[in-house]
Amino acid sequence: MLLKLLPLLSTTLFYALYYLISTFKFDVQILPASVPYDYLLQLVVAYVLYALSRRVWIFLVIHALLMGLLYIGNAVKISFFGGPIMPDDVFALQSLLLILDGWQFFAAAIPLAAIASLLLFNFSMRHWSAYLASLFVILLSITVVYKPATLLEPMDGYFGNSVWDQRSNYVWRGATLYTLLESARHFGAAEVIPDADMAQEAADKLLATSRADSLSVATRPPSLAVVFNEEAVAKTFTPRNIHIVLLESFWDPNALKKAKFKPSPLSPEFLKLWKDAGYSHALAPVFGGFTANSEFEVLCGFPVVKDAVKFEHQLLNDAPCLPHLLADKGYRTIASHPNVPVFWNRVNAYKRMGFQTYWSLEDFVQDDMNQEFMSDSTLYRQVLEKISGSMDAEQPMLDYIVTYFGHWNYPLSESRPNKISSSSEVEEVSAYANTVYYKSKELMVFINEVRKRDPESIIVVFGDHLPFLGENFAGYVESGVLAANRSDFSPTMFKDYVSTPMLIIDGKRGPVKFGSLPLYQVPKLLLDLLNFNEPSIMDYSAQLPNMRVRPLPGLHFNVLADGAIELCTEPPYSEACQLSSRWLEDISVVSNDIFMGRQFTRPKYTPEKLPEPVQTAIAI
């Protein structure tokens, strides 16, 4: 009899323990009104596990690990990124394990390995209760995968569902029901591959909007003006080298007024150049991680709208992204990133986007490291050495660099002592300020060298996302930049949440002033600077008249002509939000067609003959 009460006892003990840890350590608290049914659902899980278990002590270990993953794992992710674990995070697990090192790797890997191995080792079908439990698991799994609406409609009707505020969904429902419903939602919201009629209809709407936008350029305020010479449309395509540098976690810490930095973290030389650009910003699709989504946007010209890594499972086709278009025009296209090559599926993604060569960690001499992160200084130097032959031969190239230094937890080497002091009580704030000091300083050395050796080249530098500055946005909250909970963000906070410094230097003409530009609109701007007159997939995502649209998972906001920020979360929408919502629906259809479907909307053009690419490192 006592053994039959064991699941009840273990559930009660673990629930109380993990609830307290989640509440007091991570400030993530399931609502008290939700605790009873969350506890009862977890009790059902415990009895199912118990029925399928051979040994009692192994059941207790599995139960402790599983509940820890649900309650502590979700609390950790909420405190780091503002939202709980989503089904798509399973696909990102491989990349997560690749980036972790030392105790962090084992802290993540051991529980997962233990749960899987112990479940297999302890599985038993010796009693009628095991058959009943198996039947329950099978029926529930079939429902989640094939009939998700059976669960979602009544539960969403009772609890409600906020697409953009997953933290609230979690605390309203509890870990068990939240995980079940979001798993069902994942299968119910699978990407739709459009047929020819659906894809063409969406494409026609987008191109009509693009034409309307181009007609309104002359009357548009400077903050939303298309940044290129309209006379260039009639000019001949003029190849120029393009150097794009994605700066890991690059942001302006001076926004943290309460930190009282001494001296200013950003290099004075960078600040002067940024001022000449009107303090322009990129509007990134992510916060604190998922760098690959910022990469996808700046290379392929389409927005990322979901909380999933685009490179992993939604870039299935060879696509006419910026590298592909330029390669067809005779460019040498090179990607450089000093990380393991398979991280975020980059080997396949870069190939599908049109890169001919990919230099990863083993292709560089690791002579200047900040723990496992290669310094920007040595990365820039070695890339310039590698591409010097093409520069001397005047072969046009796309030189794309993804830096790694600047990644959390912001380590520095002995050759990079701390230079910046801060009064902030958040540990990460001072560490990050010193990191960005060296990033901005080393960046300017690279920019100056490129402008000296390649004066007519186009240089693009931008931060991929804001840095992690403590649990629940602590460093930002301290200075009032962000609220501790995304549900409390103002429209301006949502813009600040994804705004990073960006420079676009147009050869000898210098920095371009473009305001706040979504990253997915950068490729179109670069093609315009080259006088590229042929149709491209970037034409589909040209901005709407008098607004710029920044989608984020579950919501989007519009930067209007007067600089105001309009947040679009849930219907009923304003007129502007209705317009941008319909536009995003059409963008999603065309995006699925080009990157996952049969490419009915892929523009037709005749590429020029390719030069023989230089075969070094990973030729893709």
Side-chain angles (χ1 to χ4, degrees):
M1 182 63 183
L2 184 60
L3 285 178
K4 292 182 180 179
L5 293 176
L6 187 61
L8 175 63
L9 297 174
S10 65
T11 301
T12 304
L13 174 63
F14 295 143
Y15 197 98
L17 175 63
Y18 295 144
Y19 188 90
L20 291 173
I21 294 174
S22 175
T23 300
F24 293 105
K25 171 61 179 173
F26 300 104
D27 196 25
V28 177
Q29 183 179 26
I30 295 171
L31 296 179
S34 304
V35 168
Y37 60 78
D38 186 44
Y39 169 82
L40 290 174
L41 284 171
Q42 192 54 231
L43 187 59
V44 171
V45 173
Y47 272 101
V48 169
L49 281 174
Y50 182 74
L52 296 171
S53 294
R54 179 179 304 171
R55 293 175 176 83
V56 169
W57 71 269
I58 297 182
F59 155 73
L60 289 173
V61 173
I62 295 173
H63 195 201
L65 290 171
L66 186 60
M67 287 191 68
L69 180 64
L70 280 177
Y71 292 90
I72 303 304
N74 274 299
V76 169
K77 184 159 187 266
I78 289 172
S79 68
F80 270 60
F81 299 107
I85 297 171
M86 300 289 286
D88 283 306
D89 290 332
V90 175
F91 298 122
L93 182 60
Q94 177 188 3
S95 294
L96 172 65
L97 294 176
L98 284 171
I99 200 173
L100 296 178
D101 195 20
W103 70 267
Q104 296 171 343
F105 171 82
F106 291 106
I110 289 177
L112 296 171
I115 291 173
S117 58
L118 290 175
L119 278 172
L120 291 173
F121 178 73
N122 204 41
F123 181 77
S124 173
M125 294 290 288
R126 295 183 178 182
H127 192 268
W128 65 267
S129 60
Y131 290 93
L132 188 61
S134 298
L135 179 63
F136 173 77
V137 171
I138 292 171
L139 287 176
L140 182 62
S141 300
I142 291 174
T143 303
V144 166
V145 175
Y146 296 104
K147 293 291 182 181
T150 306
L151 294 172
L152 294 173
E153 290 177 2
M155 292 294 100
D156 287 350
Y158 181 76
F159 292 102
N161 177 55
S162 176
V163 179
W164 67 274
D165 188 6
Q166 292 296 333
R167 175 174 179 153
S168 292
N169 287 342
Y170 175 81
V171 300
W172 290 339
R173 299 169 180 175
T176 312
L177 184 59
Y178 175 83
T179 301
L180 177 65
L181 293 184
E182 291 311 309
S183 297
R185 204 179 313 280
H186 172 77
F187 288 102
E191 298 288 354
V192 175
I193 305 301
D195 59 25
D197 291 338
M198 182 188 302
Q200 194 58 55
E201 181 182 0
D204 290 344
K205 291 179 183 178
L206 293 172
L207 292 177
T209 301
S210 176
R211 286 191 291 270
D213 177 68
S214 65
L215 292 175
S216 69
V217 168
T219 60
R220 192 176 310 150
S223 62
L224 290 180
V226 175
V227 189
F228 71 100
N229 183 353
E230 291 182 81
E231 295 179 0
V233 173
K235 293 183 179 179
T236 304
F237 174 74
T238 307
R240 288 191 283 160
N241 292 336
I242 299 178
H243 305 271
I244 301 177
V245 182
L246 181 152
L247 296 160
E248 172 63 43
S249 302
F250 191 72
W251 182 68
D252 181 12
N254 290 305
L256 305 176
K257 302 302 182 184
K258 292 290 181 68
K260 298 179 180 178
F261 296 114
K262 295 181 181 179
S264 172
L266 287 177
S267 157
E269 196 176 5
F270 174 83
L271 284 172
K272 182 182 182 303
L273 194 61
W274 193 27
K275 180 181 179 181
D276 292 342
Y279 297 110
S280 297
H281 283 84
L283 298 176
V286 288
F287 172 89
F290 283 21
T291 295
N293 284 349
S294 292
E295 292 190 69
F296 174 83
E297 289 201 351
V298 83
L299 293 170
C300 291
F302 272 73
V304 176
V305 299
K306 293 190 175 181
D307 190 18
V309 179
K310 195 78 173 181
F311 281 7
E312 293 278 4
H313 295 279
Q314 296 180 3
L315 179 55
L316 306 181
N317 297 333
D318 289 345
C321 299
L322 182 66
H324 202 142
L325 291 176
L326 295 180
D328 285 346
K329 287 292 186 180
Y331 273 65
R332 182 186 180 194
T333 56
I334 308 161
S336 304
H337 181 38
N339 194 359
V340 292
V342 297
F343 198 90
W344 291 141
N345 195 34
R346 282 189 173 98
V347 170
N348 293 320
Y350 285 169
K351 179 180 179 181
R352 289 165 185 162
M353 290 189 292
F355 281 110
Q356 299 158 340
T357 302
Y358 173 23
W359 290 317
S360 57
L361 180 60
E362 295 304 317
D363 298 302
F364 296 98
V365 178
Q366 299 171 41
D367 56 358
D368 185 3
M369 306 292 287
N370 299 280
Q371 291 184 14
E372 70 269 33
F373 306 118
M374 179 178 285
S375 75
D376 290 355
S377 178
T378 191
L379 174 63
Y380 297 145
R381 176 181 56 79
Q382 293 187 60
V383 168
L384 284 175
E385 289 173 355
K386 287 174 177 288
I387 66 175
S388 60
S390 293
M391 293 176 70
D392 293 340
E394 298 184 355
Q395 178 187 7
M397 78 180 117
L398 171 60
D399 168 33
Y400 174 65
I401 303 172
V402 179
T403 69
Y404 203 18
F405 169 54
H407 200 286
W408 182 78
N409 53 355
Y410 317 123
L412 295 174
S413 63
E414 292 182 0
S415 63
R416 293 178 176 81
N418 288 338
K419 296 286 189 179
I420 311 298
S421 64
S422 167
S423 62
S424 174
E425 296 181 359
V426 180
E427 179 182 356
E428 286 87 354
V429 169
S430 294
Y432 177 72
N434 281 281
T435 295
V436 83
Y437 165 82
Y438 287 104
K439 283 191 71 70
S440 60
K441 184 178 178 181
E442 293 168 16
L443 172 67
M444 287 310 304
V445 173
F446 171 76
I447 289 176
N448 291 336
E449 180 66 16
V450 171
R451 296 184 80 180
K452 177 182 177 182
R453 295 182 57 182
D454 197 4
E456 277 299 340
S457 67
I458 299 170
I459 303 172
V460 182
V461 299
F462 66 97
D464 58 341
H465 53 69
L466 271 68
F468 170 77
L469 296 179
E471 297 169 2
N472 298 306
F473 311 121
Y476 303 98
V477 172
E478 183 181 54
S479 294
V481 176
L482 300 176
N485 191 327
R486 274 201 356 158
S487 61
D488 297 325
F489 280 15
S490 66
T492 300
M493 285 180 178
F494 270 106
K495 180 175 180 289
D496 293 340
Y497 176 70
V498 293
S499 293
T500 64
M502 180 160 69
L503 289 172
I504 297 179
I505 302 173
D506 181 17
K508 294 180 180 179
R509 286 157 290 284
V512 178
K513 295 181 179 180
F514 51 83
S516 294
L517 187 70
L519 277 177
Y520 63 85
Q521 290 181 334
V522 171
K524 173 64 174 173
L525 191 155
L526 297 180
L527 290 176
D528 290 334
L529 290 174
L530 295 175
N531 303 328
F532 185 91
N533 301 319
E534 300 175 27
S536 73
I537 60 173
M538 289 72 179
D539 297 331
Y540 294 124
S541 59
Q543 67 189 48
L544 286 166
N546 297 316
M547 74 171 74
R548 287 174 174 169
V549 184
R550 175 65 272 171
L552 296 171
L555 61 83
H556 66 279
F557 64 81
N558 301 324
V559 182
L560 303 180
D562 59 1
I565 311 300
E566 184 168 27
L567 190 62
C568 309
T569 53
E570 298 174 357
Y573 285 141
S574 68
E575 184 177 349
C577 285
Q578 289 180 37
L579 177 63
S580 53
S581 295
R582 290 193 295 267
W583 182 80
L584 284 172
E585 289 173 2
D586 292 330
I587 282 286
S588 180
V589 171
V590 174
S591 178
N592 287 350
D593 173 58
I594 290 173
F595 301 110
M596 301 169 61
R598 298 182 61 185
Q599 299 190 326
F600 297 112
T601 57
R602 180 169 181 158
K604 306 295 192 295
Y605 63 94
T606 304
E608 296 180 5
K609 185 178 179 181
L610 280 167
E612 289 296 324
V614 178
Q615 299 296 326
T616 56
I618 299 176
I620 57 176

